Amino acid sequence: MTLLAPTGAGQPPPAPPAARSGRRRLLPYLLLLPGAAWLLVFFAVPLLQLAAVSLYDPGGSLSTGYAMTWAFGNYPDVVQAYGPQLLRSFGFAGLALVLALLLGYPLAYAIAQKAGRWKNLLLVCVVAPMFTSFLVRTLAWKTILSDNGALVGLLRDVHLLAPDGRLLATPFAVVLGLTYNFLPFLVLPLYASLERLDPRLLEAASDLYASGVQAFRRVTLPLSMPGLIAGTLLFFIPASGDYINAELLGTPNEYMVGNVIDSAFLVRLDYPQGAALSFLLMAAILAVVLGYLRTTGTEEVL
């Protein structure tokens, strides 16, 4: 006679409920572990090293070495020396952000609510410039704005530009380059918010005798605020630290703090000064972002 083994024979007994509950509590932390390790190795450790470099003796050099003298005076020194470039960075980024909002908000709204079957094609057109190098796109604008280009010639012909006027190597060119290069970072989050907007809400506002401006102010703008906040931050933060547009489309009179940092690390090899400027830029951007979030009442975004 063949004896059949009972069901489950040879298998380990099930874990007690307490052990299963403990594993479930640990699972989210285990999933976060790879990302946390990545941030620790490639962000936190370099950031601490940069903080240490910013406090090195400014009298050192690569050939003689740098001594850790806790030279906190590096910070007021770089502010005194490069304060205009720091202010110019935020001024250019702010002007570019205003111009991007004037262009990007109507574009995002049109794609989200009015494009119909052309929606996907228009989204591809928004992100298509990002398929090419940032440097190539900026060089293209250098050609477009050149003194012998068709655009400058047209503006001179219609007397919108003086016969000896120019667009290249001006603050206008730098702001235009920043607007163009970072515009998709503003449009895409705005599109994501506006695409979820229920048209029936606008119809209800119209039924309640709201004008177009009132409907936008009371319905569309509040509902698109998450995308607007995310888009402005994604635009403003990299634009403040950019140096390519000022390098290629401007002159030393238009240089931003990113150009000074680039020169300190790669040309003058003044590492303490470059590190101190980098930290000041990060701190200034963080202060602007926190002030912006507090003003809009969205501190929980962080």
Side-chain angles (χ1 to χ4, degrees):
M1 179 183 295
T2 303
L3 297 178
L4 298 177
T7 303
Q11 299 179 357
R20 291 197 299 269
S21 176
R23 284 199 295 266
R24 283 197 296 268
R25 285 197 298 267
L26 286 175
L27 182 59
Y29 299 101
L30 293 175
L31 293 175
L32 288 173
L33 188 59
W38 179 277
L39 289 175
L40 177 65
V41 174
F42 295 105
F43 179 75
V45 172
L47 192 65
L48 291 175
Q49 179 62 28
L50 189 68
V53 172
S54 71
L55 300 176
Y56 282 172
D57 181 8
S61 66
L62 284 180
S63 58
T64 61
Y66 289 100
M68 170 55 78
T69 58
W70 302 97
F72 289 97
N74 290 338
Y75 287 92
D77 289 345
V78 296
V79 170
Q80 183 177 4
Y82 300 108
Q85 286 84 351
L86 188 62
L87 294 176
R88 188 180 300 129
S89 298
F90 289 102
F92 283 174
L95 289 173
L97 176 59
V98 172
L99 182 57
L101 285 171
L102 294 176
L103 296 173
Y105 200 106
L107 176 61
Y109 183 86
I111 296 175
Q113 296 293 325
K114 305 296 183 182
R117 61 192 181 96
W118 301 102
K119 182 182 299 185
N120 291 335
L121 177 61
L122 291 175
L123 283 175
V124 170
C125 291
V126 170
V127 301
M130 301 179 69
F131 296 164
T132 61
S133 166
F134 186 95
L135 183 62
V136 171
R137 299 200 306 268
T138 309
L139 287 172
W141 272 104
K142 186 174 183 178
T143 302
I144 293 171
L145 300 176
S146 65
D147 294 342
N148 298 322
L151 178 60
V152 171
L154 176 63
L155 293 177
R156 288 172 178 170
D157 290 341
V158 298
H159 304 290
L160 292 178
L161 197 63
D164 58 345
R166 60 185 322 207
L167 297 178
L168 191 63
T170 62
F172 172 79
V174 178
V175 172
L176 193 63
L178 291 171
T179 304
Y180 168 77
N181 280 309
F182 296 108
L183 185 62
F185 296 106
L186 175 68
V187 172
L188 293 180
L190 269 174
Y191 164 80
S193 288
L194 291 168
E195 198 268 340
R196 295 193 295 267
L197 178 64
D198 191 344
R200 291 175 297 180
L201 296 176
L202 298 178
E203 294 176 3
S206 178
D207 292 340
L208 294 172
Y209 304 102
S211 64
V213 174
Q214 290 174 325
F216 173 79
R217 184 171 59 88
R218 304 293 291 273
V219 178
T220 305
L221 184 59
L223 292 178
S224 65
M225 191 58 68
L228 181 62
I229 293 173
T232 51
L233 293 180
L234 289 173
F235 184 100
F236 182 81
I237 292 173
S240 301
D242 180 72
Y243 67 96
I244 294 295
N245 287 277
E247 181 76 29
L248 297 180
L249 302 179
T251 67
N253 292 329
E254 286 78 43
Y255 276 3
M256 302 163 66
V257 70
N259 301 94
V260 180
I261 294 172
D262 173 70
S263 176
F265 277 115
L266 302 180
V267 180
R268 293 182 283 108
L269 304 180
D270 190 345
Y271 286 6
Q273 185 182 83
L277 271 172
S278 300
F279 251 84
L280 280 175
L281 177 62
M282 286 188 288
I285 290 175
L286 182 61
V288 171
V289 169
L290 290 176
Y292 171 68
L293 294 178
R294 183 175 295 276
T295 301
T296 56
T298 52
E299 296 93 334
E300 66 273 9
V301 170
L302 292 179

